[in-house]
Every structure is written in C-alpha cells, then in structure tokens.
Amino acid sequence: MRISFVTDTYLPEVNAVVAAMRQGLRSRGHTVQVLAPEYPLPGPDDDGVIRRPSIPCPGYSAVRLSSPFGADVTRALDRFAPDLIHVVTEGALGPMYSRAVDLHS
C-alpha cells in the first residue's frame, strides 16, 4: 500500500509519532511519503519526506508554520499516487493536501 502522511511536526522535532508509524509501515512492506515542515537542520532519514518552507510559530518556536502554497504539493501527490492519505495535524498543510486530493478525484 502507498500511504501519505501530512503533518505539521516531524523529525527533527521531538514529536515522533509519524516517524514511528512510518517506520512500522515500511517494515511491513508499505511505501510511505511524508509531507512536513522544513526545519533549519535536516531530519534523519529524509528519504521520501517532502519538506515545505516554514517559519517558527510565535511563542512556540519548536513548532513550525508551513506554507501550504505551491504546485509541488499537487505534483508530489500525483507522482506518489497514494492509496491512503492520513492528515495527522490541523495546520495549514492538511487542508491544502486535502484540496489537492479533491481536485484529482
């Protein structure tokens, strides 16, 4: 199965839920794509991770606010052709990715 995760927190951020899910799914033979914020330092194992430009959240700099705009979101979805999309967080990336899915359904 081809699975896309859309999240507003991902490695190297300490919230590693998606990273653990990704590792578990990959170990079971699934192909996993992650759409996540860009951080000042690269995260470990960025293979298959699409990073979006982001800025620190005012008052909580560990969280990044990602730009949901750009044709690369739609292109990434088209190229990967996921069987399942899991929007993990409620930030700006989720609605944009969901809209891209609606446009291609």
Side-chain angles (χ1 to χ4, degrees):
M1 182 176 274
R2 299 175 68 75
I3 303 163
S4 286
F5 284 102
V6 181
T7 181
D8 291 289
T9 59
Y10 193 68
L11 300 175
E13 172 59 36
V14 294
N15 182 345
V17 173
V18 174
M21 291 171 60
R22 178 180 184 227
Q23 180 181 2
L25 288 165
R26 290 173 82 184
S27 72
R28 289 166 179 80
H30 300 288
T31 304
V32 181
Q33 173 190 60
V34 176
L35 183 64
E38 184 176 82
Y39 291 88
L41 298 174
D45 189 22
D46 262 359
D47 178 43
V49 178
I50 298 161
R51 297 289 183 168
R52 297 294 305 140
S54 67
I55 59 170
C57 179
Y60 191 15
S61 62
V63 172
R64 306 290 295 188
L65 302 175
S66 301
S67 169
F69 304 107
D72 58 331
V73 174
T74 304
R75 280 194 305 269
L77 177 64
D78 287 343
R79 279 193 304 265
F80 189 69
D83 300 304
L84 174 72
I85 298 172
H86 181 85
V87 178
V88 181
T89 55
E90 300 173 353
L93 290 177
M96 187 61 149
Y97 211 65
S98 297
R99 184 175 182 282
V101 171
D102 290 342
L103 292 173
H104 290 87
S105 296

